[in-house]
Amino acid sequence: MDITHDDVLGLFCLTMLIYDYGKKFVIDQSQTLEEFMNADTNPDLSKDDLEALDIICERTSQGRVVTFLNDKETDLQAGITISEKRKAIYVIFRGSESKLDWWYDLQVGKDDIHKDIKVHKGFYNQLFDNCAYESLRDSLKIVLDNEEYSNYDVYVTGHSLGKSIGELFSYFLSDEISNKITVVSFAGARTGNLAFADSFNSKKNLKHYRVSNQRDPITCFPVINYYHTGINIRLCDDDVEIYDEYPSKEFNIFSCWDPREHYCDCYFKRLKKLSW
């Protein structure tokens, strides 16, 4: 597996922080993360969020925010950051937080996107309804058009709803750029049918590591003709299980029954405790 525990923990810290970004703190685009941390800002964040900021700063102190999208019409929120130290660009999608998010979550019908490839209608609509995909893609391409960053790898991450939005964003983006795209998602539902999963997994410049807690119920929905993509990193109480491609038979409503395991604090606790 070509993703490290350190990389996954760092990406999860980004997914935690985007829930509060724009509400409790903002990093100026002219600032590096280190400069923000050293400034007298004192953001009103939880203990876990402050620890997450410290972890990110330790990994990429000179990282900076490129753009932050806050779409009032669809309530989609996403950010793009860059790390020269790690030669990487990160796209982070926020998970479900509002009634509007849940309205998209519950649109479980499928949209045909190409031939027999079908995806969750709500996830697709939230990404494309108000041109969020185009806006984020264009912002990313502006960065990649800079010769200094043209060969950087792209990482896409998100928790819960952010997992599926990020998964779709990466799927379409992989046809528009040649850079390596690695999706590291957390606590997400299934996004499309078997044809979508096969198409996603066949793309040469696209890789997906799907992190899930052992009993997280969101990870086993929707049920009928929906499939996960990528490689599953499953966080159990005391160990880590890794499944290639399609999920094991363990992903069902009888084994994934504890809603507490869906929340960020549970994922953060296990990622700090377990490694591989």
Side-chain angles (χ1 to χ4, degrees):
M1 200 166 59
D2 59 357
I3 191 83
T4 68
H5 171 265
D6 181 64
D7 287 333
V8 172
L9 177 59
L11 284 160
F12 185 69
C13 289
L14 290 173
T15 70
M16 287 175 59
L17 291 169
I18 198 168
Y19 279 98
D20 287 324
Y21 194 83
K23 305 178 188 72
K24 295 184 177 181
F25 76 107
V26 173
I27 301 174
D28 190 275
Q29 291 183 13
S30 64
Q31 280 184 310
T32 65
L33 179 56
E34 185 176 50
E35 289 169 341
F36 172 78
M37 295 291 285
N38 289 334
D40 187 21
T41 51
N42 296 317
D44 182 24
L45 298 174
S46 69
K47 180 181 177 181
D48 280 352
D49 283 345
L50 290 172
E51 184 178 357
L53 265 175
D54 285 336
I55 290 171
I56 295 170
C57 192
E58 184 178 342
R59 284 172 47 82
T60 177
S61 60
Q62 299 302 305
R64 57 186 177 83
V65 175
V66 174
T67 189
F68 179 67
L69 174 68
N70 183 12
D71 191 313
K72 300 296 186 182
E73 184 173 318
T74 63
D75 202 29
L76 186 148
Q77 293 180 334
I80 299 176
T81 69
I82 189 168
S83 170
E84 295 178 6
K85 177 181 178 180
R86 295 185 174 271
K87 298 188 181 304
I89 301 167
Y90 302 98
V91 185
I92 311 104
F93 290 88
R94 195 209 69 202
S96 298
E97 190 177 56
S98 67
K99 292 180 180 178
L100 189 54
D101 291 327
W102 282 104
W103 183 74
Y104 283 109
D105 281 331
L106 295 173
Q107 294 179 34
V108 294
K110 298 185 183 76
D111 270 345
D112 294 311
I113 60 172
H114 181 67
K115 295 182 178 178
D116 58 345
I117 297 174
K118 301 179 181 181
V119 298
H120 186 285
K121 186 178 186 68
F123 301 154
Y124 181 86
N125 287 346
Q126 192 169 26
L127 181 61
F128 284 96
D129 267 357
N130 204 30
C131 299
Y133 171 80
E134 291 83 358
S135 177
L136 290 166
R137 176 203 62 196
D138 293 347
S139 294
L140 182 60
K141 283 186 172 182
I142 288 172
V143 178
L144 293 173
D145 284 342
N146 185 322
E147 185 176 352
E148 182 179 358
Y149 308 132
S150 60
N151 292 321
Y152 277 26
D153 290 338
V154 176
Y155 290 83
V156 180
T157 190
H159 170 267
S160 192
L161 172 62
K163 173 265 187 190
S164 290
I165 301 294
E167 187 177 13
L168 284 174
F169 175 82
S170 305
Y171 177 77
F172 291 104
L173 182 68
S174 66
D175 290 329
E176 301 198 51
I177 66 172
S178 59
N179 302 65
K180 179 183 175 183
I181 305 170
T182 302
V183 186
V184 180
S185 69
F186 304 89
R190 299 179 175 111
T191 302
N193 66 355
L194 182 59
F196 170 73
D198 286 338
S199 178
F200 186 105
N201 291 332
S202 71
K203 290 183 177 291
K204 301 300 183 183
N205 62 332
L206 184 57
K207 193 84 171 184
H208 185 191
Y209 296 97
R210 182 175 53 82
V211 183
S212 63
N213 276 336
Q214 181 179 7
R215 292 176 287 270
D216 182 347
I218 299 301
T219 61
C220 69
F221 289 101
V223 176
I224 301 174
N225 197 26
Y226 274 94
Y227 292 82
H228 280 301
T229 64
I231 294 171
N232 180 224
I233 302 172
R234 193 179 189 204
L235 308 178
C236 303
D237 292 324
D238 296 307
D239 65 347
V240 178
E241 299 173 351
I242 297 174
Y243 300 99
D244 287 343
E245 307 222 345
Y246 301 133
S248 76
K249 63 182 180 181
E250 304 266 344
F251 281 85
N252 58 69
I253 59 175
F254 301 105
S255 58
C256 301
W257 50 266
D258 191 347
R260 294 171 299 180
E261 294 201 5
H262 181 65
Y263 295 110
C264 284
D265 59 348
C266 187
Y267 276 86
F268 194 39
K269 180 180 179 180
R270 286 194 181 170
L271 282 169
K272 289 188 295 179
K273 173 185 175 183
L274 303 170
S275 187
W276 56 86

